[in-house]
Amino acid sequence: MCRIVGAPRTLLPLLAALLQASAGAGEAATCKTGFPEDVYSAVLSQDVHEGQPLLNVKFSSCDGKRRVQYESSEPADFKVDEDGVVYAVRSFPLSSERARFLVYAHDRETQEKWQVAVSLSLQPASPGAAAQGPQEIEEIVFPRPPARSDGRLQRQKRDWVIPPINLPENSRGPFPQELVRIRSDRDKNLSLRYSVTGPGADQPPTGIFIINPISGQLSVTKPLDREQIARFHLRAHAVDINGNQVENPIDIVINVIDMNDNRPEFLHQVWNGTVPEGSKPGTYVMTVTAIDADDPNTQNGMLRYRILSQAPSTPSPNMFTINNETGDIITVAAGLDREKVHQYTLIIQATDTEGSPTYGLSNTATAVITVTDVNDNPPEFTAMSFYGEVPENRVDVIVANLTVTDKDQPHTPSWNAVYRISGGDPTGRFAIQTDPNSNDGLVTVVKPIDFETNRMFVLTVAAENQVPLAKGIQHPPQSTATVSVTVIDVNENPYFVPNPKIIRQEEGLHAGTMLTTFTAQDPDRYMQQSIRYTKLSDPANWLRIDPVNGQITTIAVLDRESPHVKNNIYNATFLASDNGIPPMSGTGTLQIYLLDINDNAPQVLPQEAETCETPAPNAINITALDYDIDPNAGPFAFDLPLSPVNIKRNWTITRLNGDFAQLNLKIKFLEAGIYDVPIIITDSGNPPKSNSSVLRVKVCQCDSNGDCTDVDRIVGAGLGTGAIVAILLCIIILLILVLMFVVWMKRRDKERQAKQLLIDPEDDVRDNILKYDEEGGGEEDQDYDLSQLQQPDTVEPDATKPVGIRRLDERPIHAEPQYPVRSAAPHPGDIGDFINEGLKAADNDPTAPPYDSLLVFDYEGSGSTAGSLSSLNSSSSGGEQDYDYLNDWGPRFKKLADMYGGGDD
């Protein structure tokens, strides 16, 4: 059987009570250096454990600068920490000998020494404790193998039942600090080994709890923190030296007792709240909240709130209060006025241990309370009267600026002003808009104002807020003022009356007829001005207007059938201008409704038709076209003239109704062709008008259906005189274009052939002589083909050369005149004629160059494909050639004769 010996669980509450009592006594006494008590007492259980805190001795230093060191008169059993806490140095049962000892306080600097007595007393036993003997820990008998003497199971004793161990956090040691001893009743016969497992032992966080495997002493190795782990659950094991389990594992629960080691913490360092101005006492404002990491089920975690300060302190230093448990802030005084104090700042303190000022830990936060605006101030006009002026007939013009003051918060419904006109504007010519930035009222003209009707307006205006005043406000809800608006007279446009003006007249009025007087009025009755009239629009140029009196007369005949007349109405526009500053003008429209007269004779319609050579099977339906209207139009009378006589002999006309008639062949057969049939048409006017219109009839051969079948029908039916003339003109223009194109092509061919006859400078071996005008200068001048200068007859006989092809600038072999007569045979092509004419001119010119010289007839650029003109008929090669005849060509060829006629040299 195993049992655990532990410290009584009632020690800590007793210590707390003792410390609280002693501290309270010290605060009440007069400040005196030394121990405030003569004797410190504590009530303990019989057993004292190593490291167990017993009580706290308090040393009072009035200046707070003394540093003392504590000592015990029994250093083997008790020690005193620097903060005055008395601990047990070892474990021992409390006896009367050790129930009293001294504690010394020694000042290191002044060497002063103080002492106080400590008395420890045993906790009194309960009334039944003496009879029962000393209290023991409950023992549990582990199950044993069942007895078989009577065949029934035998109830066993309970074993290893351990109550929870309460261990205060933040213990100062020394460590390891013994907690309990674990033993088994089997250690009498066996050598056992003890061990513990679980979080805090062999599981993270490891090493906090250790056990002596031989003695079973369970100890803690470091201070505990309840805020990290509030409870440890360990399992104790007992095995023999071979590792065999001799007892079932037992559970050990260690509760970490909370100490007040955490200050309250506010969720926010600055709290913001609002409250309407003028709120009654008891109005809820806001709630502040703080938390404490200590155990909330103990005094260490029980918080209390209070207000330390209020800024500003007007109108009362205690405008707000706070619920010390919930943190709710409410108003406790009246007089909140945003216009005076718009914001309050409160310092809130939260203290644990139920707000104990001695043992509680505190923290502070700031509560900012904004006083919100309510409409407790109506707008007030800055003046009782405002003035403005506006030119007449102007709209959307600001005539006055109304200013108000309002003490409420700007740009809120309690500050925004709404203006209205309460009097002086029965026709609604003014409106007041609010400027959103300045809150001013802008008096604006929304309807034109006539100076001649109203020269001044006196408006009564009122201003109020967008929202009504708060209840209980004694001020009137609105403010009133007057606005005097003066109307300025300006020059206005003259206007015609009536406009438009409508008159009725018959068409056909002669020029110079006075139609009407069209005048305008000047609205400026108080200005001495004159009006002059001009014509602005007269599409047909029929009218004129007198510039002074506005009389309108005709300058041409009025014609209802004119294209400028629409629906029998002719429109003309006139301009009236005054001589004001600045001059103004207005327009007026005169509408002349033209009455029809019978001034247009009817015409046959259609003007062309076709019919067959025989009366059957078709006829021609005709009607009349009259530009007049009823009653000067239909019904019409249709008739054929008496002459020529063949008209009535060949044709007959029958009236179908008042607008249509039918033309038929009167004879059995009429040869195909085009016939002009005059038709007399008379309208129904008074007097009536007649007209002889020509109907062009195409007579053609028809098939059984009455359709034309011959070509004449196609020509006659589709083409008139104008169309035929147009076709002929198109054909002539097309022929002219073709002829011009042919001429251009022929001229282009001539130019191409002429270019081919020009000598290419790159092919002419005599360029050195002609281009540079040199007459010798070295051996380079002689480096050319001499065959170009030979007589062609030396190479090929005359019989092989066609007649008229030989060049005239060749030296004749046979005796010939100086200017030989050329063959009369025509040279092939226009180019040949052109060359022959040039040669004739050269032959008859005494200043012409000699034979075999280059004659430039026309130059049209370099690179011509015509080749050299000197080779037209000079194809002889170098050979044996006599150049002595060069001496007969004059002084210009002297040098050349010396070069080629001088023999072998």
Side-chain angles (χ1 to χ4, degrees), residues 22-79:
S22 62
E27 291 291 337
T30 304
C31 181
K32 178 182 177 182
T33 302
F35 293 100
E37 301 290 339
D38 295 334
V39 178
Y40 287 93
S41 302
V43 179
L44 305 175
S45 61
Q46 181 178 4
D47 294 328
V48 177
H49 299 284
E50 179 182 350
Q52 177 180 340
L54 303 179
L55 76 166
N56 185 7
V57 295
K58 185 177 182 181
F59 183 83
S60 176
S61 176
C62 295
D63 56 3
K65 297 181 180 179
R66 291 182 179 272
R67 298 177 60 85
V68 297
Q69 182 177 2
Y70 297 100
E71 296 177 359
S72 173
S73 61
E74 301 292 338
D77 296 327
F78 306 98
K79 73 172 183 177

Side-chain angles (χ1 to χ4, degrees), residues 499-631:
N499 189 15
K501 184 174 183 179
I502 302 175
I503 61 174
R504 298 171 67 90
Q505 291 288 343
E506 283 189 351
E507 64 173 332
L509 290 178
H510 297 290
T513 304
M514 200 276 288
L515 297 180
T516 185
T517 300
F518 196 24
T519 59
Q521 298 180 5
D522 192 347
D524 301 310
R525 293 177 294 177
Y526 301 98
M527 296 183 181
Q528 300 299 325
Q529 300 178 150
S530 61
I531 298 178
R532 297 187 64 85
Y533 304 94
T534 56
K535 185 171 62 174
L536 189 63
S537 173
D538 184 11
N541 198 23
W542 289 344
L543 310 172
R544 66 175 297 274
I545 186 170
D546 188 281
V548 177
N549 57 24
Q551 286 186 354
I552 298 177
T553 56
T554 61
I555 58 175
V557 178
L558 305 183
D559 185 7
R560 190 197 65 84
E561 290 75 31
S562 171
H564 301 291
V565 177
K566 306 296 182 184
N567 298 324
N568 303 326
I569 296 177
Y570 179 75
N571 291 312
T573 305
F574 300 92
L575 182 69
S577 303
D578 61 19
N579 58 349
I581 300 174
M584 304 298 291
S585 61
T587 60
T589 301
L590 177 64
Q591 293 183 339
I592 304 175
Y593 188 90
L594 295 176
L595 302 176
D596 186 41
I597 63 174
N598 194 16
D599 57 344
N600 292 280
Q603 299 178 3
V604 68
L605 191 71
Q607 296 180 353
E608 294 181 355
E610 64 178 22
T611 185
C612 298
E613 294 175 332
T614 59
N618 57 0
I620 300 173
N621 294 326
I622 60 175
T623 185
L625 173 64
D626 195 332
Y627 292 103
D628 294 324
I629 59 176
D630 189 70

Side-chain angles (χ1 to χ4, degrees), residues 142-156:
F142 285 90
R144 294 288 185 268
R148 301 179 181 272
S149 58
D150 55 358
R152 292 181 297 176
L153 294 177
Q154 182 179 357
R155 187 175 181 272
Q156 299 178 351

Side-chain angles (χ1 to χ4, degrees), residues 260-264 292 294 350-353 356 359-363:
N260 191 18
D261 58 345
N262 290 280
R263 292 182 178 273
D292 196 318
D294 291 327
T351 306
D352 58 14
T353 64
S356 172
Y359 302 102
L361 302 178
S362 302
N363 211 338

